[in-house]
Amino acid sequence: MPSINVNGEKRDYSGDSAMPLLWFLRDELNLTGTKYGCGAGVCGACTVHVDGVAVRSCQTTAAEVTGKSVTTIEGLDGNGEHPVQKAWREVNVPQCGFCQAGQIMQAASLLAKNKAPTDDQIVEEMSGNICRCGCYQRIHDAVRLAAGGV
Amino acid sequence: MLQYFETEARTARQVQGTIENVSRRTVLGGVLATSSFVVALRVSTANAREALTPYPTGAAGMPHTVVADPNVFIAIAPDGAVTIVTHRAEMGTGIRTSLPMVIADEMEADWSRVRIVQAEGDEPKYGNQDTDGSRSMRHFIQPMRQCGAAMRHMLENAAAVTWGVEPALCRAKNHQVILLDGTKKPSGKSLSFGELAKAAMAQPVPPQDKLLYKTAAEFTLIGKGSTKIADLHDITTGKAVYGADIRLPGMKFAVMARPAVLGGKVKAHDAAKALKVPGVEAVHELEGVHKVPRGFGILGGIAVIANSTYAAMAGRDALDIEWENGPNASYESVAFDKEMTATAAQPGKVIRNQGDPDAAFTKAKQVFSADYHAQHIVPAAMEPLVAVARVADGKADIWAPVQSPYGARKDLAEALKIPIENVTVHVTLLGGGFGRKSKWDFMVEAALISQKLGGTPVLLQWTREDDLRHAFYHTVSVERIEVAIDDKDKVTGWRHRTVAPSIISTFKEDTGYSFPIEYGMGFVNTPFEIANVRCENGKAMAHTRIGWYRSVSTIPHVFAVQSAVCEVADQLGRDPKDFLLELIGSDRRLDPKALGFPDDFWNFGDPYEAFPIDTARLKNVIRIAADKAGWGKKIPARQGLGIAAHCAWSSYVATVVHVEVGNDGKISVPEVTTAIDCGLYVNPERIRSQMEGAAVMGMSNTVYSGITFKNGAVEQSNYTDFTVARMSNYPKKVTTHIVDAPPGTHSGGVGEPAVAPFSGALCNAIYAATKKRLRRLPTGDIVT
Ligand code: FES
Ligand code: FES
């Protein structure tokens, strides 16, 4: 049976091979921190890491990540103390909060590959993640703040 | 807004909240920034506390008004933990934190020991729960202060009994009651809230006229800048529970196919292929509500039930459905805009008349006139609509991100044909609401599906496409403004014609005309000192469901009015800010009668005497925003500043937008300066986040977002073609100035007032930068 490593645990996968990872995580593993916002790869609410890199879980099939390592917001840090999460709380980023798991995963992926991103690089990396509440100013500030601590 | 539509008395029921989100929170010291709004009748110097005279609010006109019983909202455990119930829905404004802050401050509770419990839909118990209309703080700061003050008295009274002294010698402070000696100094003796819990809660509740409240100087939370939202840790760790995060044993997942055109019906359908999709377990037809007005009646269609959301979606794709569209299939946006423009050119129904506008226009030396257009918008909150329902054994439990849980409960009971006592509505966090989640059609759908399944719990997920195509749409509009100017360049006449399908068409037979709530949103109450004013309404029938979207009709009205002011200023060679201040005129409280406001003038639901329109407060925010933005400073070519302001939801907002238009025409906004006077305010940190969010939403409304119809159906499908501001282009730096209101000023709204001025301010700024006047929303992000 194909298996996926999710947040450090081996999870067997037996369903439709075309099922997006998003629904495998949410409906089969009950990891509901990863959100559905558009299903079309254009909002970023469903962002998770595959082998440490941000991907849209609504556009990635469960089959595609067989044998790979998936990290969701629940697994980013055991205590919720990842520098990005801490920065998010310090800056009081969220309003409704719905987009924030995706934003945080995107930002953590950016900082993992680029410890000191420029403002333009932050904008480029984060522009795929919509926040309808309009927290962009604080998201930008929080990424900058976290960059000091990653 | 719902008070207009709901007048039926509802049955009482006592339920205890079951969804508890216990969160970590911290309080840091903050800058003192408060204003007192109350008249002190008697001041007890020993306690630095004061009696308050209650003032009337619009809550009196809402179903179930307010409840101010501490035993409903507060419980103290023997270990000292204080549980505070919040009965308003959290959709990003921070109200789930801010109302409990009011109670905690007033009762002297230590915020770090407060846990917050979300109330179920139960208005007889909690008071009105329609979380919309920027009303939560406006309507509930008084009852919440009353609850907190009463509980503080009850703690002090319980301590007095224990010690056998006068209550006046017992003083609650920071989670304990201190015994004072004969000189009113601390005696060294104290009892913790935990020790007093049982006795305090058994005390009789003192009536409001016997209560003493904390003075503004004694507030520790109200007006301070550093209280973090209750759900902050859960949100950043993925633990916060939104609608789709509810999991019940045996729960199935469903999606629905609905008619593309309002009033459409399923003519025939074949589910054979859908039922062959792996994971699909059942297909059911739901009958739509086709009697007009539709209210929040469901659209009807075909539900596909499966063992995952994905399988349900795949099943829906495999359905064969033949639809019958009905009369709205002719709705077409381009033609409709032309029709509305023609209507706006003709005299309409007179809603406000002051002086003799016809004479003013006849005598005018110059006349300015322009039409301002705006498309439909959908709220498009990041969390698409979703509800979880379990309807079994004559009982229904529904979990949903809903702004109006009690209204939903009543309709659910009717749709399910079970008594309201047997329906429980659990309110989850809302992943944004913006008005759409006041309308509970999605909850009724979920409940009917569970009922059809014989009681199997079901999660009904709306896709993003469903959300855009089956919304209650922010109205489409044409606003015509005409201004008469005499030979001394003085404005002598103002005519505003609004043409827009009305929200009321959703609730009453459509006459094509608007209703008082829409008129009251920056149309009849434009606060200009002009002698001759006429406001007219042209007819426009609705061909889709019209609903309220954050800031509602202030968006088109204020866009038109504030654009026109800037255009006339330019025509007269005047500075737009100075000209705006001059039009507003002298410091005064508007006299609705003298100004010819309609008899049924709607003042955002609030009684006018307690919440008058005060031009001094409006001018104050304009001056502050302009000063802080450096109005008049020299700025580079192709950059410009624009200003707009209004009074709405009993608050005053002015916004200055600084725009930069690239050589390629690309619009970007480096800076926004907003000043808000919202009376006595509670959580400045959340007010700032609302101002920042309002600027982003204003940017979306102005530049990006529009919904158009063709053959009666929405043309857009997802965030690909219904676009919103992203980090690639948003107002980069929003600076908020929270203005201290004059003493005696009541709390106003915060969620909505800052959105509408952005559109006018941005288009005025674009004009300053390029001499191009944009009168159609959305403008697109390139000025051509
Ligand atoms: S849900 Fe995957 S990008 Fe929107
Ligand atoms: S916080 Fe609400 S969508 Fe981002």
Side-chain angles (χ1 to χ4, degrees):
Chain A
M1 193 178 289
S3 75
I4 308 171
N5 184 307
V6 180
N7 297 335
E9 265 179 65
K10 188 166 159 283
R11 310 300 291 253
D12 288 334
Y13 175 69
S14 60
D16 181 339
S17 62
M19 183 193 265
L21 176 60
L22 168 66
W23 299 116
F24 175 64
L25 293 171
R26 289 188 56 83
D27 295 352
E28 297 202 10
L29 304 186
N30 289 331
L31 287 169
T32 55
T34 305
K35 302 302 186 203
Y36 164 71
C38 72
V42 292
C43 80
C46 66
T47 305
V48 300
H49 295 176
V50 173
D51 292 339
V53 177
V55 301
R56 305 289 183 244
S57 66
C58 73
Q59 299 298 300
T60 308
T61 62
E64 282 173 299
V65 292
T66 302
K68 297 193 176 162
S69 217
V70 173
T71 308
T72 69
I73 185 72
E74 291 93 340
L76 184 61
D77 180 275
N79 302 312
E81 295 290 324
H82 186 280
V84 171
Q85 290 170 311
K86 289 198 328 208
W88 243 247
R89 295 194 289 268
E90 176 71 27
V91 179
N92 296 308
V93 171
Q95 289 183 37
C96 81
F98 192 80
C99 72
Q100 300 297 345
Q103 306 274 7
I104 288 169
M105 296 309 281
Q106 190 72 38
S109 167
L110 165 67
L111 296 181
K113 67 181 179 208
N114 180 353
K115 287 191 181 0
T118 62
D119 283 348
D120 284 350
Q121 286 169 331
I122 294 173
V123 166
E124 188 179 329
E125 179 83 10
M126 301 303 296
S127 284
N129 291 67
I130 296 173
C131 175
R132 185 70 166 138
C133 295
C135 304
Y136 298 126
Q137 178 172 341
R138 296 189 190 203
I139 290 169
H140 197 129
D141 289 349
V143 175
R144 248 192 243 128
L145 178 65
V150 170
Chain B
M1 183 158 297
L2 281 176
Q3 89 278 23
Y4 211 83
F5 316 119
E6 293 194 36
T7 46
E8 276 174 63
R10 294 159 178 156
T11 346
R13 186 189 125 149
Q14 303 287 302
V15 288
Q16 193 58 53
T18 52
I19 294 188
E20 298 190 2
N21 290 309
V22 183
S23 298
R24 304 129 204 92
R25 54 189 71 81
T26 51
V27 188
L28 305 168
V31 198
L32 182 78
T34 61
S35 54
S36 162
F37 73 112
V38 290
V39 186
L41 284 186
R42 53 176 199 276
V43 176
S44 156
T45 43
N47 289 328
R49 286 174 189 152
E50 61 192 0
L52 298 183
T53 309
Y55 57 86
T57 71
M62 298 295 294
H64 302 98
T65 64
V66 300
V67 168
D69 181 349
N71 292 322
V72 167
F73 287 95
I74 311 166
I76 310 174
D79 67 357
V82 171
T83 300
I84 298 179
V85 173
T86 182
H87 69 302
R88 309 288 286 183
E90 180 56 73
M91 50 187 158
T93 64
I95 202 64
R96 206 173 112 82
T97 304
S98 305
L99 282 174
M101 275 168 69
V102 173
I103 291 184
D105 198 342
E106 197 61 72
M107 75 178 273
E108 282 290 344
D110 172 355
W111 184 244
S112 69
R113 307 185 71 184
V114 170
R115 61 180 207 136
I116 296 170
V117 173
Q118 189 70 38
E120 295 165 358
D122 192 348
E123 292 187 357
K125 181 171 180 182
Y126 300 109
N128 185 267
Q129 292 182 278
D130 292 333
T131 313
D132 55 17
S134 300
R135 278 189 299 243
S136 293
M137 198 52 78
R138 265 196 299 155
H139 289 186
F140 286 94
I141 187 167
Q142 287 192 112
M144 293 303 108
R145 287 192 72 183
Q146 189 180 331
C147 285
M151 188 51 85
R152 171 168 37 75
H153 280 280
M154 290 155 74
L155 285 156
E156 289 170 346
N157 292 346
V161 172
T162 309
W163 286 321
V165 299
E166 282 298 301
L169 293 177
C170 302
R171 185 189 166 111
K173 188 81 195 161
N174 195 24
H175 230 77
Q176 55 180 354
V177 178
I178 297 163
L179 178 64
L180 303 179
D181 62 21
T183 62
K184 299 276 167 88
K185 297 254 158 50
S187 67
K189 257 182 151 176
S190 67
L191 285 164
S192 71
F193 278 13
E195 289 169 311
L196 290 166
K198 225 177 135 200
M201 291 196 297
Q203 283 283 321
V205 177
Q208 134 68 32
D209 60 0
K210 293 279 182 294
L211 296 177
L212 292 173
Y213 292 83
K214 289 173 73 170
T215 58
E218 289 227 330
F219 289 150
T220 53
L221 297 167
I222 296 173
K224 311 298 182 213
S226 311
T227 308
K228 292 186 177 284
I229 53 169
D231 301 295
L232 186 57
H233 200 278
D234 286 350
I235 287 170
T236 57
T237 51
K239 293 194 190 87
V241 177
Y242 299 88
D245 303 336
I246 300 293
R247 291 292 178 271
L248 301 177
M251 188 180 87
K252 301 296 175 193
F253 299 85
V255 295
M256 270 188 72
R258 301 175 188 80
V261 178
L262 180 63
K265 291 174 188 161
V266 176
K267 203 158 147 195
H269 80 279
D270 182 352
K273 276 186 267 165
L275 285 164
K276 288 208 187 83
V277 171
V280 171
E281 297 181 2
V283 172
H284 282 286
E285 180 167 356
L286 295 192
E287 187 65 39
V289 174
H290 295 298
K291 76 172 190 323
V292 179
R294 290 183 170 82
F296 301 151
I298 68 168
L299 294 171
I302 308 292
V304 178
I305 299 97
N307 62 8
S308 74
T309 316
Y310 168 70
M313 287 177 182
R316 180 172 78 170
D317 288 345
L319 284 171
D320 284 314
I321 308 175
E322 202 187 324
W323 299 99
E324 191 181 290
N325 284 332
N328 289 318
S330 63
Y331 188 37
E332 202 273 316
S333 289
V334 175
F336 197 73
D337 177 69
K338 287 204 182 98
E339 225 179 275
M340 288 194 300
T341 308
T343 305
Q346 301 297 323
K349 185 163 116 182
V350 177
I351 309 300
R352 171 186 168 192
N353 193 75
Q354 173 204 340
D356 190 349
D358 291 337
F361 278 91
T362 310
K363 281 192 251 156
K365 171 99 177 305
Q366 320 177 40
V367 170
F368 164 86
S369 85
D371 292 336
Y372 302 88
H373 308 251
Q375 291 182 356
H376 287 295
I377 303 178
V378 281
M382 284 309 297
E383 178 195 39
L385 299 175
V386 62
V388 173
R390 183 181 55 212
V391 181
D393 308 322
K395 284 200 155 64
D397 280 90
I398 294 93
W399 291 257
V402 59
Q403 292 175 243
S404 301
Y406 194 75
R409 189 171 153 204
K410 178 184 154 255
D411 267 18
L412 282 158
E414 250 168 52
L416 296 168
K417 300 188 174 61
I418 58 177
I420 190 165
E421 291 79 8
N422 291 354
V423 178
T424 307
V425 173
H426 310 266
V427 182
T428 67
L429 288 177
L430 282 67
F434 313 121
R436 177 61 179 95
K437 289 169 185 163
S438 299
K439 295 107 176 165
W440 45 75
D441 51 341
F442 60 105
M443 296 167 68
V444 175
E445 289 174 345
L448 289 172
I449 294 168
S450 175
Q451 195 175 45
K452 277 191 191 282
L453 294 174
T456 304
V458 69
L459 182 156
L460 172 70
Q461 179 68 57
W462 281 48
T463 63
R464 176 59 55 195
E465 290 80 1
D466 299 340
D467 179 65
L468 298 192
R469 291 172 171 168
H470 308 295
F472 289 79
Y473 297 89
H474 170 68
T475 197
V476 61
S477 56
V478 174
E479 306 288 327
R480 183 177 180 85
I481 305 273
E482 297 175 353
V483 182
I485 300 151
D486 71 7
D487 51 1
K488 294 187 195 70
D489 285 356
K490 200 170 156 28
V491 173
T492 50
W494 177 272
R495 189 184 280 136
H496 183 168
R497 248 177 234 143
T498 182
V499 182
S502 172
I503 290 168
I504 200 66
S505 65
T506 299
F507 302 96
K508 286 185 175 171
E509 196 192 333
D510 192 9
T511 61
Y513 292 102
S514 302
F515 74 131
I517 288 181
E518 290 159 325
Y519 295 143
M521 291 194 187
F523 171 61
V524 294
N525 44 356
T526 301
F528 296 156
E529 210 162 28
I530 299 172
N532 307 290
V533 178
R534 183 172 296 158
C535 300
E536 299 172 16
N537 184 199
K539 184 170 173 173
M541 303 300 285
H543 299 284
T544 184
R545 303 193 291 187
I546 307 293
W548 53 96
Y549 159 60
R550 184 184 188 185
S551 308
V552 206
S553 299
T554 61
I555 299 170
H557 293 158
V558 174
F559 167 56
V561 169
Q562 297 292 311
S563 297
V565 168
C566 184
E567 291 204 57
V568 174
D570 186 62
Q571 192 168 313
L572 298 176
R574 299 287 312 280
D575 172 79
K577 185 257 301 176
D578 293 344
F579 188 65
L580 174 60
L581 287 169
E582 187 181 300
L583 277 185
I584 295 166
S586 59
D587 289 358
R588 66 201 184 282
R589 291 182 169 185
L590 299 192
D591 178 347
K593 256 207 152 44
L595 296 175
F597 285 16
D599 291 341
D600 55 4
F601 168 57
W602 183 81
N603 188 38
F604 294 89
D606 283 330
Y608 193 80
E609 315 70 51
F611 294 86
I613 301 169
D614 183 338
T615 58
R617 291 175 72 191
L618 182 58
K619 283 156 63 188
N620 190 37
V621 291
I622 292 171
R623 288 199 189 100
I624 290 171
D627 283 358
K628 301 283 182 187
W631 188 267
K633 71 184 172 190
K634 183 119 185 66
I635 48 175
R638 296 192 72 78
Q639 296 191 23
L641 298 185
I643 192 165
H646 72 153
C647 162
W649 290 275
S650 304
S651 291
Y652 298 76
V653 177
T655 295
V656 175
V657 172
H658 180 166
V659 80
E660 186 174 342
V661 181
N663 288 326
D664 55 356
K666 181 84 192 271
I667 298 168
S668 60
V669 176
E671 204 166 358
V672 176
T673 309
T674 294
I676 177 166
D677 167 358
C678 54
L680 175 68
Y681 55 87
V682 172
N683 195 350
E685 196 283 313
R686 284 295 96 179
I687 294 172
R688 282 188 198 99
S689 72
Q690 285 299 292
M691 297 302 104
E692 292 157 22
V696 174
M697 197 160 259
M699 181 90 173
S700 295
N701 293 346
T702 313
V703 175
Y704 292 108
S705 308
I707 287 283
T708 52
F709 285 78
K710 205 178 171 88
N711 298 325
V714 170
E715 292 188 283
Q716 291 71 22
S717 62
N718 206 311
Y719 289 121
T720 43
D721 42 13
F722 178 78
T723 50
V724 296
R726 291 172 177 270
M727 199 176 271
S728 48
N729 194 9
Y730 75 102
K732 290 279 177 303
K733 182 165 173 263
V734 179
T735 310
T736 302
H737 300 276
I738 305 173
V739 176
D740 277 329
T745 310
H746 311 321
S747 298
V750 168
E752 293 174 275
V755 175
F758 188 91
S759 298
L762 175 57
C763 290
N764 291 343
I766 291 169
Y767 181 80
T770 64
K771 296 289 167 214
K772 297 240 166 63
R773 176 53 63 178
L774 306 181
R775 300 194 190 94
R776 275 180 191 274
L777 304 185
T779 60
D781 60 359
I782 304 283
V783 183
T784 50

